[in-house]
PDB file of all heavy atoms in Angstrom:
ATOM      1  N   GLY A   1      65.806 159.050  96.375  1.00 88.00           N
ATOM      2  CA  GLY A   1      67.013 158.236  96.168  1.00 88.00           C
ATOM      3  C   GLY A   1      67.320 158.175  94.656  1.00 88.00           C
ATOM      4  O   GLY A   1      68.524 158.279  94.240  1.00 88.00           O
ATOM      5  N   MET A   2      66.257 157.910  93.853  1.00 88.00           N
ATOM      6  CA  MET A   2      66.547 157.873  92.348  1.00 88.00           C
ATOM      7  C   MET A   2      66.994 159.219  91.849  1.00 88.00           C
ATOM      8  O   MET A   2      67.899 159.235  90.950  1.00 88.00           O
ATOM      9  CB  MET A   2      65.219 157.439  91.672  1.00 88.00           C
ATOM     10  CG  MET A   2      64.941 155.947  91.926  1.00 88.00           C
ATOM     11  SD  MET A   2      63.450 155.408  90.928  1.00 88.00           S
ATOM     12  CE  MET A   2      64.064 155.578  89.268  1.00 88.00           C
ATOM     13  N   GLY A   3      66.416 160.265  92.346  1.00 89.00           N
ATOM     14  CA  GLY A   3      66.921 161.646  91.916  1.00 89.00           C
ATOM     15  C   GLY A   3      68.339 161.841  92.247  1.00 89.00           C
ATOM     16  O   GLY A   3      69.170 162.331  91.447  1.00 89.00           O
ATOM     17  N   LEU A   4      68.726 161.509  93.571  1.00 88.00           N
ATOM     18  CA  LEU A   4      70.164 161.651  93.940  1.00 88.00           C
ATOM     19  C   LEU A   4      71.076 160.778  93.134  1.00 88.00           C
ATOM     20  O   LEU A   4      72.130 161.192  92.787  1.00 88.00           O
ATOM     21  CB  LEU A   4      70.220 161.431  95.478  1.00 88.00           C
ATOM     22  CG  LEU A   4      69.616 162.404  96.421  1.00 88.00           C
ATOM     23  CD1 LEU A   4      69.670 161.944  97.855  1.00 88.00           C
ATOM     24  CD2 LEU A   4      70.287 163.794  96.309  1.00 88.00           C
ATOM     25  N   GLY A   5      70.595 159.489  92.977  1.00 86.00           N
ATOM     26  CA  GLY A   5      71.436 158.609  92.200  1.00 86.00           C
ATOM     27  C   GLY A   5      71.675 158.968  90.767  1.00 86.00           C
ATOM     28  O   GLY A   5      72.797 158.892  90.259  1.00 86.00           O
ATOM     29  N   ILE A   6      70.602 159.489  90.128  1.00 86.00           N
ATOM     30  CA  ILE A   6      70.776 159.997  88.715  1.00 86.00           C
ATOM     31  C   ILE A   6      71.675 161.196  88.647  1.00 86.00           C
ATOM     32  O   ILE A   6      72.534 161.263  87.774  1.00 86.00           O
ATOM     33  CB  ILE A   6      69.363 160.289  88.118  1.00 86.00           C
ATOM     34  CG1 ILE A   6      68.602 158.967  87.947  1.00 86.00           C
ATOM     35  CG2 ILE A   6      69.532 160.997  86.854  1.00 86.00           C
ATOM     36  CD1 ILE A   6      67.107 159.152  87.552  1.00 86.00           C
ATOM     37  N   PHE A   7      71.440 162.105  89.589  1.00 87.00           N
ATOM     38  CA  PHE A   7      72.323 163.232  89.628  1.00 87.00           C
ATOM     39  C   PHE A   7      73.799 162.949  89.898  1.00 87.00           C
ATOM     40  O   PHE A   7      74.660 163.462  89.147  1.00 87.00           O
ATOM     41  CB  PHE A   7      71.818 164.199  90.805  1.00 87.00           C
ATOM     42  CG  PHE A   7      72.656 165.442  90.944  1.00 87.00           C
ATOM     43  CD1 PHE A   7      72.602 166.532  90.098  1.00 87.00           C
ATOM     44  CD2 PHE A   7      73.578 165.579  92.026  1.00 87.00           C
ATOM     45  CE1 PHE A   7      73.429 167.697  90.265  1.00 87.00           C
ATOM     46  CE2 PHE A   7      74.369 166.603  92.267  1.00 87.00           C
ATOM     47  CZ  PHE A   7      74.289 167.696  91.333  1.00 87.00           C
ATOM     48  N   ALA A   8      74.043 162.060  90.820  1.00 84.00           N
ATOM     49  CA  ALA A   8      75.454 161.701  91.121  1.00 84.00           C
ATOM     50  C   ALA A   8      76.039 160.929  89.956  1.00 84.00           C
ATOM     51  O   ALA A   8      77.167 161.193  89.641  1.00 84.00           O
ATOM     52  CB  ALA A   8      75.472 160.829  92.351  1.00 84.00           C
ATOM     53  N   SER A   9      75.257 160.058  89.256  1.00 82.00           N
ATOM     54  CA  SER A   9      75.814 159.273  88.093  1.00 82.00           C
ATOM     55  C   SER A   9      76.120 160.242  87.039  1.00 82.00           C
ATOM     56  O   SER A   9      77.241 160.155  86.370  1.00 82.00           O
ATOM     57  CB  SER A   9      74.765 158.292  87.623  1.00 82.00           C
ATOM     58  OG  SER A   9      74.533 157.317  88.661  1.00 82.00           O
ATOM     59  N   ASN A  10      75.322 161.257  86.732  1.00 82.00           N
ATOM     60  CA  ASN A  10      75.624 162.249  85.659  1.00 82.00           C
ATOM     61  C   ASN A  10      76.837 163.123  86.019  1.00 82.00           C
ATOM     62  O   ASN A  10      77.613 163.448  85.146  1.00 82.00           O
ATOM     63  CB  ASN A  10      74.342 163.076  85.515  1.00 82.00           C
ATOM     64  CG  ASN A  10      73.194 162.338  84.857  1.00 82.00           C
ATOM     65  OD1 ASN A  10      73.395 161.403  84.185  1.00 82.00           O
ATOM     66  ND2 ASN A  10      71.909 162.788  85.100  1.00 82.00           N
ATOM     67  N   MET A  11      76.953 163.425  87.288  1.00 82.00           N
ATOM     68  CA  MET A  11      78.145 164.184  87.753  1.00 82.00           C
ATOM     69  C   MET A  11      79.460 163.388  87.537  1.00 82.00           C
ATOM     70  O   MET A  11      80.470 164.008  87.163  1.00 82.00           O
ATOM     71  CB  MET A  11      77.947 164.689  89.227  1.00 82.00           C
ATOM     72  CG  MET A  11      76.918 165.701  89.498  1.00 82.00           C
ATOM     73  SD  MET A  11      77.325 167.291  88.709  1.00 82.00           S
ATOM     74  CE  MET A  11      78.718 167.784  89.759  1.00 82.00           C
ATOM     75  N   LEU A  12      79.299 162.152  87.735  1.00 75.00           N
ATOM     76  CA  LEU A  12      80.525 161.276  87.514  1.00 75.00           C
ATOM     77  C   LEU A  12      80.733 160.916  86.063  1.00 75.00           C
ATOM     78  O   LEU A  12      81.776 160.338  85.700  1.00 75.00           O
ATOM     79  CB  LEU A  12      80.386 159.952  88.378  1.00 75.00           C
ATOM     80  CG  LEU A  12      80.408 160.140  89.904  1.00 75.00           C
ATOM     81  CD1 LEU A  12      80.099 158.826  90.531  1.00 75.00           C
ATOM     82  CD2 LEU A  12      81.780 160.656  90.272  1.00 75.00           C
ATOM     83  N   GLY A  13      79.792 161.309  85.214  1.00 75.00           N
ATOM     84  CA  GLY A  13      79.937 160.995  83.824  1.00 75.00           C
ATOM     85  C   GLY A  13      79.427 159.667  83.383  1.00 75.00           C
ATOM     86  O   GLY A  13      79.848 159.140  82.313  1.00 75.00           O
ATOM     87  N   TYR A  14      78.722 158.909  84.206  1.00 74.00           N
ATOM     88  CA  TYR A  14      78.128 157.621  83.909  1.00 74.00           C
ATOM     89  C   TYR A  14      76.660 157.680  83.604  1.00 74.00           C
ATOM     90  O   TYR A  14      75.942 158.469  84.195  1.00 74.00           O
ATOM     91  CB  TYR A  14      78.407 156.648  85.026  1.00 74.00           C
ATOM     92  CG  TYR A  14      79.835 156.547  85.449  1.00 74.00           C
ATOM     93  CD1 TYR A  14      80.288 156.853  86.765  1.00 74.00           C
ATOM     94  CD2 TYR A  14      80.839 156.097  84.540  1.00 74.00           C
ATOM     95  CE1 TYR A  14      81.623 156.658  87.133  1.00 74.00           C
ATOM     96  CE2 TYR A  14      82.161 155.970  84.900  1.00 74.00           C
ATOM     97  CZ  TYR A  14      82.522 156.310  86.162  1.00 74.00           C
ATOM     98  OH  TYR A  14      83.805 156.134  86.621  1.00 74.00           O
ATOM     99  N   PRO A  15      76.166 156.850  82.695  1.00 75.00           N
ATOM    100  CA  PRO A  15      74.703 156.760  82.499  1.00 75.00           C
ATOM    101  C   PRO A  15      73.997 156.259  83.612  1.00 75.00           C
ATOM    102  O   PRO A  15      74.503 155.243  84.318  1.00 75.00           O
ATOM    103  CB  PRO A  15      74.631 155.825  81.250  1.00 75.00           C
ATOM    104  CG  PRO A  15      75.800 154.940  81.324  1.00 75.00           C
ATOM    105  CD  PRO A  15      76.910 155.859  81.838  1.00 75.00           C
ATOM    106  N   ALA A  16      72.967 156.853  84.145  1.00 76.00           N
ATOM    107  CA  ALA A  16      72.171 156.389  85.271  1.00 76.00           C
ATOM    108  C   ALA A  16      71.504 155.136  85.044  1.00 76.00           C
ATOM    109  O   ALA A  16      70.800 155.019  84.043  1.00 76.00           O
ATOM    110  CB  ALA A  16      71.171 157.445  85.716  1.00 76.00           C
ATOM    111  N   VAL A  17      71.676 154.099  85.891  1.00 73.00           N
ATOM    112  CA  VAL A  17      71.022 152.812  85.740  1.00 73.00           C
ATOM    113  C   VAL A  17      70.369 152.448  87.099  1.00 73.00           C
ATOM    114  O   VAL A  17      71.061 151.825  87.978  1.00 73.00           O
ATOM    115  CB  VAL A  17      72.053 151.724  85.331  1.00 73.00           C
ATOM    116  CG1 VAL A  17      71.327 150.370  85.162  1.00 73.00           C
ATOM    117  CG2 VAL A  17      72.825 152.172  84.115  1.00 73.00           C
ATOM    118  N   PRO A  18      69.144 152.802  87.276  1.00 75.00           N
ATOM    119  CA  PRO A  18      68.424 152.466  88.564  1.00 75.00           C
ATOM    120  C   PRO A  18      68.361 150.913  88.677  1.00 75.00           C
ATOM    121  O   PRO A  18      68.194 150.214  87.724  1.00 75.00           O
ATOM    122  CB  PRO A  18      67.007 153.067  88.394  1.00 75.00           C
ATOM    123  CG  PRO A  18      67.197 154.177  87.316  1.00 75.00           C
ATOM    124  CD  PRO A  18      68.270 153.639  86.418  1.00 75.00           C
ATOM    125  N   SER A  19      68.488 150.478  89.946  1.00 73.00           N
ATOM    126  CA  SER A  19      68.395 149.028  90.219  1.00 73.00           C
ATOM    127  C   SER A  19      66.990 148.632  90.514  1.00 73.00           C
ATOM    128  O   SER A  19      66.387 149.038  91.534  1.00 73.00           O
ATOM    129  CB  SER A  19      69.331 148.716  91.379  1.00 73.00           C
ATOM    130  OG  SER A  19      69.182 147.401  91.782  1.00 73.00           O
ATOM    131  N   ILE A  20      66.374 147.835  89.602  1.00 80.00           N
ATOM    132  CA  ILE A  20      65.061 147.391  89.789  1.00 80.00           C
ATOM    133  C   ILE A  20      65.022 146.493  90.996  1.00 80.00           C
ATOM    134  O   ILE A  20      64.043 146.602  91.899  1.00 80.00           O
ATOM    135  CB  ILE A  20      64.501 146.630  88.540  1.00 80.00           C
ATOM    136  CG1 ILE A  20      64.641 147.579  87.338  1.00 80.00           C
ATOM    137  CG2 ILE A  20      63.116 146.170  88.766  1.00 80.00           C
ATOM    138  CD1 ILE A  20      63.808 148.850  87.376  1.00 80.00           C
ATOM    139  N   SER A  21      65.894 145.530  91.190  1.00 76.00           N
ATOM    140  CA  SER A  21      65.948 144.660  92.259  1.00 76.00           C
ATOM    141  C   SER A  21      66.080 145.446  93.555  1.00 76.00           C
ATOM    142  O   SER A  21      65.517 145.129  94.641  1.00 76.00           O
ATOM    143  CB  SER A  21      67.046 143.617  92.129  1.00 76.00           C
ATOM    144  OG  SER A  21      68.305 144.260  92.049  1.00 76.00           O
ATOM    145  N   GLY A  22      66.971 146.522  93.532  1.00 74.00           N
ATOM    146  CA  GLY A  22      67.200 147.297  94.716  1.00 74.00           C
ATOM    147  C   GLY A  22      65.927 148.060  95.166  1.00 74.00           C
ATOM    148  O   GLY A  22      65.610 148.163  96.313  1.00 74.00           O
ATOM    149  N   ILE A  23      65.181 148.561  94.188  1.00 81.00           N
ATOM    150  CA  ILE A  23      63.891 149.211  94.377  1.00 81.00           C
ATOM    151  C   ILE A  23      62.931 148.287  95.121  1.00 81.00           C
ATOM    152  O   ILE A  23      62.299 148.597  96.122  1.00 81.00           O
ATOM    153  CB  ILE A  23      63.331 149.798  93.146  1.00 81.00           C
ATOM    154  CG1 ILE A  23      64.237 150.966  92.591  1.00 81.00           C
ATOM    155  CG2 ILE A  23      61.895 150.224  93.354  1.00 81.00           C
ATOM    156  CD1 ILE A  23      63.831 151.395  91.224  1.00 81.00           C
ATOM    157  N   ILE A  24      62.783 147.069  94.517  1.00 84.00           N
ATOM    158  CA  ILE A  24      61.795 146.053  95.091  1.00 84.00           C
ATOM    159  C   ILE A  24      62.165 145.695  96.494  1.00 84.00           C
ATOM    160  O   ILE A  24      61.366 145.669  97.414  1.00 84.00           O
ATOM    161  CB  ILE A  24      61.760 144.880  94.144  1.00 84.00           C
ATOM    162  CG1 ILE A  24      61.117 145.308  92.757  1.00 84.00           C
ATOM    163  CG2 ILE A  24      60.833 143.747  94.789  1.00 84.00           C
ATOM    164  CD1 ILE A  24      61.133 144.200  91.695  1.00 84.00           C
ATOM    165  N   ILE A  25      63.498 145.430  96.641  1.00 80.00           N
ATOM    166  CA  ILE A  25      63.937 144.997  97.966  1.00 80.00           C
ATOM    167  C   ILE A  25      63.839 146.029  98.969  1.00 80.00           C
ATOM    168  O   ILE A  25      63.422 145.764 100.165  1.00 80.00           O
ATOM    169  CB  ILE A  25      65.427 144.503  97.875  1.00 80.00           C
ATOM    170  CG1 ILE A  25      65.601 143.291  97.009  1.00 80.00           C
ATOM    171  CG2 ILE A  25      66.009 144.268  99.243  1.00 80.00           C
ATOM    172  CD1 ILE A  25      66.929 142.832  96.747  1.00 80.00           C
ATOM    173  N   SER A  26      64.162 147.256  98.648  1.00 78.00           N
ATOM    174  CA  SER A  26      64.024 148.377  99.615  1.00 78.00           C
ATOM    175  C   SER A  26      62.605 148.642 100.026  1.00 78.00           C
ATOM    176  O   SER A  26      62.380 148.831 101.250  1.00 78.00           O
ATOM    177  CB  SER A  26      64.594 149.640  98.942  1.00 78.00           C
ATOM    178  OG  SER A  26      66.047 149.437  98.685  1.00 78.00           O
ATOM    179  N   ILE A  27      61.637 148.633  99.075  1.00 81.00           N
ATOM    180  CA  ILE A  27      60.282 148.837  99.424  1.00 81.00           C
ATOM    181  C   ILE A  27      59.792 147.695 100.252  1.00 81.00           C
ATOM    182  O   ILE A  27      59.067 147.917 101.252  1.00 81.00           O
ATOM    183  CB  ILE A  27      59.430 149.002  98.188  1.00 81.00           C
ATOM    184  CG1 ILE A  27      59.754 150.308  97.382  1.00 81.00           C
ATOM    185  CG2 ILE A  27      57.935 149.096  98.487  1.00 81.00           C
ATOM    186  CD1 ILE A  27      59.640 151.598  98.184  1.00 81.00           C
ATOM    187  N   ALA A  28      60.050 146.472  99.848  1.00 85.00           N
ATOM    188  CA  ALA A  28      59.704 145.279 100.675  1.00 85.00           C
ATOM    189  C   ALA A  28      60.236 145.321 102.063  1.00 85.00           C
ATOM    190  O   ALA A  28      59.545 145.027 103.069  1.00 85.00           O
ATOM    191  CB  ALA A  28      60.020 144.059  99.922  1.00 85.00           C
ATOM    192  N   PHE A  29      61.480 145.800 102.155  1.00 82.00           N
ATOM    193  CA  PHE A  29      62.104 145.823 103.511  1.00 82.00           C
ATOM    194  C   PHE A  29      61.550 146.929 104.323  1.00 82.00           C
ATOM    195  O   PHE A  29      61.348 146.719 105.571  1.00 82.00           O
ATOM    196  CB  PHE A  29      63.563 146.065 103.277  1.00 82.00           C
ATOM    197  CG  PHE A  29      64.341 145.961 104.553  1.00 82.00           C
ATOM    198  CD1 PHE A  29      64.605 144.709 105.089  1.00 82.00           C
ATOM    199  CD2 PHE A  29      65.017 147.088 105.118  1.00 82.00           C
ATOM    200  CE1 PHE A  29      65.394 144.553 106.339  1.00 82.00           C
ATOM    201  CE2 PHE A  29      65.747 146.949 106.277  1.00 82.00           C
ATOM    202  CZ  PHE A  29      65.902 145.685 106.909  1.00 82.00           C
ATOM    203  N   SER A  30      61.163 148.076 103.719  1.00 82.00           N
ATOM    204  CA  SER A  30      60.532 149.063 104.501  1.00 82.00           C
ATOM    205  C   SER A  30      59.171 148.650 105.054  1.00 82.00           C
ATOM    206  O   SER A  30      58.873 148.969 106.243  1.00 82.00           O
ATOM    207  CB  SER A  30      60.424 150.341 103.683  1.00 82.00           C
ATOM    208  OG  SER A  30      59.414 150.190 102.690  1.00 82.00           O
ATOM    209  N   MET A  31      58.392 147.905 104.226  1.00 85.00           N
ATOM    210  CA  MET A  31      57.112 147.406 104.760  1.00 85.00           C
ATOM    211  C   MET A  31      57.333 146.366 105.805  1.00 85.00           C
ATOM    212  O   MET A  31      56.626 146.165 106.785  1.00 85.00           O
ATOM    213  CB  MET A  31      56.295 146.883 103.627  1.00 85.00           C
ATOM    214  CG  MET A  31      55.885 147.926 102.630  1.00 85.00           C
ATOM    215  SD  MET A  31      54.810 147.226 101.280  1.00 85.00           S
ATOM    216  CE  MET A  31      53.340 146.858 102.228  1.00 85.00           C
ATOM    217  N   GLY A  32      58.424 145.565 105.617  1.00 87.00           N
ATOM    218  CA  GLY A  32      58.802 144.577 106.710  1.00 87.00           C
ATOM    219  C   GLY A  32      59.163 145.253 107.977  1.00 87.00           C
ATOM    220  O   GLY A  32      58.815 144.772 109.082  1.00 87.00           O
ATOM    221  N   ILE A  33      59.879 146.410 107.844  1.00 86.00           N
ATOM    222  CA  ILE A  33      60.152 147.163 109.058  1.00 86.00           C
ATOM    223  C   ILE A  33      58.897 147.634 109.818  1.00 86.00           C
ATOM    224  O   ILE A  33      58.728 147.594 110.986  1.00 86.00           O
ATOM    225  CB  ILE A  33      60.997 148.426 108.708  1.00 86.00           C
ATOM    226  CG1 ILE A  33      62.391 148.003 108.250  1.00 86.00           C
ATOM    227  CG2 ILE A  33      61.078 149.428 109.782  1.00 86.00           C
ATOM    228  CD1 ILE A  33      63.276 147.589 109.314  1.00 86.00           C
ATOM    229  N   GLY A  34      57.837 148.064 108.962  1.00 85.00           N
ATOM    230  CA  GLY A  34      56.641 148.474 109.550  1.00 85.00           C
ATOM    231  C   GLY A  34      55.916 147.260 110.282  1.00 85.00           C
ATOM    232  O   GLY A  34      55.318 147.452 111.284  1.00 85.00           O
ATOM    233  N   LEU A  35      55.955 146.102 109.613  1.00 87.00           N
ATOM    234  CA  LEU A  35      55.365 144.913 110.167  1.00 87.00           C
ATOM    235  C   LEU A  35      55.992 144.519 111.449  1.00 87.00           C
ATOM    236  O   LEU A  35      55.392 144.261 112.526  1.00 87.00           O
ATOM    237  CB  LEU A  35      55.376 143.778 109.194  1.00 87.00           C
ATOM    238  CG  LEU A  35      54.814 142.451 109.714  1.00 87.00           C
ATOM    239  CD1 LEU A  35      53.403 142.508 110.061  1.00 87.00           C
ATOM    240  CD2 LEU A  35      55.057 141.354 108.586  1.00 87.00           C
ATOM    241  N   PHE A  36      57.429 144.533 111.502  1.00 88.00           N
ATOM    242  CA  PHE A  36      58.166 144.049 112.618  1.00 88.00           C
ATOM    243  C   PHE A  36      57.998 145.045 113.808  1.00 88.00           C
ATOM    244  O   PHE A  36      57.705 144.621 114.900  1.00 88.00           O
ATOM    245  CB  PHE A  36      59.621 143.930 112.240  1.00 88.00           C
ATOM    246  CG  PHE A  36      60.516 143.461 113.334  1.00 88.00           C
ATOM    247  CD1 PHE A  36      60.557 142.107 113.669  1.00 88.00           C
ATOM    248  CD2 PHE A  36      61.280 144.370 114.076  1.00 88.00           C
ATOM    249  CE1 PHE A  36      61.422 141.684 114.697  1.00 88.00           C
ATOM    250  CE2 PHE A  36      62.087 143.931 115.124  1.00 88.00           C
ATOM    251  CZ  PHE A  36      62.128 142.542 115.433  1.00 88.00           C
ATOM    252  N   PHE A  37      58.208 146.317 113.560  1.00 86.00           N
ATOM    253  CA  PHE A  37      58.252 147.322 114.657  1.00 86.00           C
ATOM    254  C   PHE A  37      56.781 147.766 114.988  1.00 86.00           C
ATOM    255  O   PHE A  37      56.597 148.267 116.035  1.00 86.00           O
ATOM    256  CB  PHE A  37      59.104 148.516 114.315  1.00 86.00           C
ATOM    257  CG  PHE A  37      60.551 148.208 114.291  1.00 86.00           C
ATOM    258  CD1 PHE A  37      61.279 147.965 113.149  1.00 86.00           C
ATOM    259  CD2 PHE A  37      61.235 148.312 115.498  1.00 86.00           C
ATOM    260  CE1 PHE A  37      62.609 147.676 113.189  1.00 86.00           C
ATOM    261  CE2 PHE A  37      62.600 148.017 115.611  1.00 86.00           C
ATOM    262  CZ  PHE A  37      63.238 147.747 114.416  1.00 86.00           C
ATOM    263  N   GLY A  38      55.794 147.430 114.108  1.00 86.00           N
ATOM    264  CA  GLY A  38      54.463 147.824 114.392  1.00 86.00           C
ATOM    265  C   GLY A  38      53.739 146.758 115.176  1.00 86.00           C
ATOM    266  O   GLY A  38      52.636 146.958 115.734  1.00 86.00           O
TER     267      GLY A  38
END
């Protein structure tokens, strides 16, 4: 996702700014998915 985001941002001519909060929430949510469905 970071690779695709950076590539898309560069193609649009904007500086790539990864979302730290988005990264933390996404990883926590994926582990929550594992806990819930597991």
Side-chain angles (χ1 to χ4, degrees):
M2 288 185 66
L4 289 173
I6 292 172
F7 175 76
S9 296
N10 291 334
M11 289 293 292
L12 293 172
Y14 303 121
V17 184
S19 171
I20 303 300
S21 60
I23 292 172
I24 295 173
I25 292 173
S26 296
I27 295 299
F29 189 68
S30 68
M31 294 184 69
I33 289 288
L35 175 62
F36 180 80
F37 287 98

